[in-house]
Amino acid sequence: MKLKSCITGILLMFLTNAATAILPARDSGQLLVVSDIRISGNKKTKDYIILRELTFRQGDTLSLSNLQTALSESVKNLQRQPLFHFIETGIEYGNHADDVIVNIKVQERWYTWLWPVFNFADRNFNAWLEKGDISRLSYGLFLQQENFRGRLEKLHIRFMAGYQQQLMLTYEAPYLNARKTLGAGLILTGARERETAVITTNDKPEYFRHDDFLRHYAEAAAFLRYRPGIHLSHTLTAQFGSYRFSDTLLALNPEYAGVKTKETVIPLLSYLMKADFRDQRAYPLSGWYADALLEWTGILPSADYDYLTLRSSARWHLPLSQRWNLATGGAVKLSTHGTKPWFRNQGLGYHRDYVRGYEYQVVDGDNFWVAKANLRYALLPLKIIRISRLKAEQFNTIPVSVHIGAFADAGRAWRGKPGENNSLQDKLLFGSGLGIDFVTYYDKVVRTEFSLNREGKAGLFIHFMAAI
């Protein structure tokens, strides 16, 4: 019986990266007291950051089965944070028959990166690759400090040069109070651009380049986040942006700023609610996620703009068997009437909001919806590769998985100025195809997909995040 239990435990550790020690056989309903929680492997991360994500506390009384369930859920909570490669848990008895000690061992990531950045002017890699113009790249450095001071703080500094110049500072402190429920952050951005998208023509953004700067802007945003439990969070953000446009830019598209003046300010207030019940962030295989963002642009009486935008998305991940997985998701955006700057009123074709097969196109509109579905098969389930020659544990243990699958997307954007020779607005878009996903550590995902859209146009596209 003990041999069978040990084998089961080893298999569970391999498949989930979370090993729960098997206690001597006892009634699963027996009540046990968590007398101690012992954490190891966290050379930088503070203990309280890990304890915050657990669904149980020292001194809690739980049945053996409930404690094992709580450990499994706690590992998922920790995996959603950008902190650890692997998490192992174990249970052992204490000095008394009903006391247990919970052991948590983590393997930390590398938290400080200085990246060279090559940024293309287009919306995504595929749109840039269509032309392949190296001169349209901007370059710079990106200092990425995750888990700053071991307190899950985030510090990002980004510097860009070239045709699109930018300096951005992001700082976030997740916990400000003793209960670890309130956090706050600040984002400061200054930029000027010699090249920018100026108008949509033939269902594609048309870019214009000039020796002089076409647009200057500075933005400051401060946010307060409330996270009372594990899965739900509420974020209130106040942002103020100051913009200056060149005469050339406004002549190319009089609706670019939405107003006829060369300078404008855009104040806004937003509220974001998130619910995250996924097993992990980068490439989830089970659970669900939902968010809702309500944004009021032009909150000041003197502002040039005054409209509301509601954007919401949801994603579901359903394991069908050990290797098969179904993922579905959707997003919707609704806006009230009002003066809107063209460059901020994005429809389909930006960020995650696109129908696969239309990566080269955009669809302007005040409103849109998009729905996606993926059926995936784990061609290579999670495999752990160990490189003994590398001494740094943040790099010598590499998780790798490969998934193949089929997908189908649909979407529609409507209401808004259609522009010149644009035919996709207020039209049902549909795309389907086959793809292969490569997933490895530090949340890196590379997707290669062959798509066919409703217009009969096919293409091979590359993306760097999970589709759903």
Side-chain angles (χ1 to χ4, degrees), residues 233 235 269-275 278 289-297 307-315 329-336 340 344-355 365-372 410 412 414 465-468:
S233 66
T235 305
L269 185 68
S270 68
Y271 164 71
L272 172 65
M273 181 180 68
K274 287 185 179 181
R278 300 170 295 178
Y289 168 92
D291 63 39
L293 172 67
L294 180 61
E295 189 174 84
W296 179 13
T297 301
Y307 63 94
L308 294 174
T309 302
L310 173 64
R311 188 196 181 282
S312 183
S313 69
R315 306 164 209 159
V332 62
K333 172 195 168 187
L334 301 172
S335 296
T336 62
K340 301 181 180 71
R344 290 184 60 89
N345 190 33
Q346 296 176 343
L348 288 177
Y350 299 88
H351 310 296
R352 284 182 178 268
D353 303 322
Y354 64 93
V355 175
D366 293 347
N367 312 311
F368 70 75
W369 64 263
V370 62
K372 303 184 179 187
R412 174 175 171 259
W414 70 96
M465 67 172 66
I468 300 175

Side-chain angles (χ1 to χ4, degrees), residues 205-233:
E206 185 174 324
Y207 290 83
F208 182 78
R209 181 189 298 185
H210 201 274
D211 291 336
D212 296 327
F213 290 102
L214 298 171
R215 181 174 72 157
H216 297 72
Y217 67 90
E219 293 177 344
F223 61 87
L224 183 67
R225 179 170 294 122
Y226 176 56
R227 186 170 173 243
I230 297 294
H231 302 286
L232 296 177
S233 66

Side-chain angles (χ1 to χ4, degrees), residues 378-450:
L379 185 66
L380 176 65
L382 181 63
K383 181 178 178 61
I384 308 301
I385 300 174
R386 301 186 187 278
I387 304 175
S388 57
R389 293 182 179 180
L390 290 178
K391 300 303 181 182
E393 62 180 12
Q394 294 93 341
F395 301 100
N396 62 15
T397 306
I398 305 174
V400 175
S401 63
V402 179
H403 300 256
I404 59 175
F407 62 85
D409 295 356
R412 174 175 171 259
W414 70 96
R415 206 183 76 194
K417 297 183 179 180
E420 183 180 353
N421 300 322
N422 296 318
S423 61
L424 296 181
Q425 192 178 87
D426 204 20
K427 182 178 181 180
L428 179 63
L429 309 182
F430 180 79
S432 60
L434 304 173
I436 181 169
D437 302 346
F438 175 81
V439 187
T440 186
Y441 66 169
Y442 291 101
D443 300 336
K444 295 297 183 289
V445 178
V446 179
R447 288 170 29 229
T448 303
E449 295 174 334
F450 176 80

Side-chain angles (χ1 to χ4, degrees), residues 121-189:
D122 303 87
R123 300 162 293 111
N124 57 55
F125 176 75
N126 299 283
W128 173 79
L129 193 62
E130 184 183 18
K131 296 180 180 179
D133 186 355
I134 299 296
S135 68
R136 300 183 66 242
L137 287 174
S138 296
Y139 52 89
L141 290 174
F142 179 32
L143 173 62
Q144 181 180 358
Q145 173 65 74
E146 306 292 343
N147 199 21
F148 183 51
R149 301 192 300 170
R151 293 173 167 86
L152 196 56
E153 294 168 293
K154 178 188 297 183
L155 176 63
H156 292 175
I157 300 175
R158 181 185 177 100
F159 168 76
M160 297 296 301
Y163 272 82
Q164 293 179 308
Q165 301 178 6
Q166 183 189 75
L167 180 62
M168 182 179 70
L169 169 68
T170 301
Y171 172 74
E172 178 180 347
Y175 305 126
L176 299 177
N177 59 339
R179 295 180 60 192
K180 309 295 186 296
T181 57
L182 287 177
L186 180 68
I187 304 173
L188 301 175
T189 306

Side-chain angles (χ1 to χ4, degrees), residues 23-24 26 30-38 58-64 67 90-103:
L23 292 172
R26 294 199 178 189
Q30 177 189 355
L31 294 180
L32 301 170
V33 178
V34 180
S35 61
D36 195 9
I37 301 175
R38 298 175 182 173
Q58 183 176 343
D60 285 357
T61 300
L62 302 166
S63 68
L64 175 57
L67 178 57
I91 305 172
E92 62 182 81
Y93 283 115
N95 296 328
H96 300 90
D98 59 350
D99 285 356
V100 291
I101 299 170
V102 175
N103 295 305

Side-chain angles (χ1 to χ4, degrees), residues 41-46 83-86 106-111 147 393-394 442:
N42 55 323
K43 298 177 181 179
K44 184 171 183 177
T45 308
K46 306 299 182 184
L83 295 174
F84 310 117
H85 284 316
F86 305 103
V106 299
Q107 185 185 94
E108 292 183 315
R109 298 184 178 192
W110 190 262
Y111 299 125
N147 199 21
E393 62 180 12
Q394 294 93 341
Y442 291 101

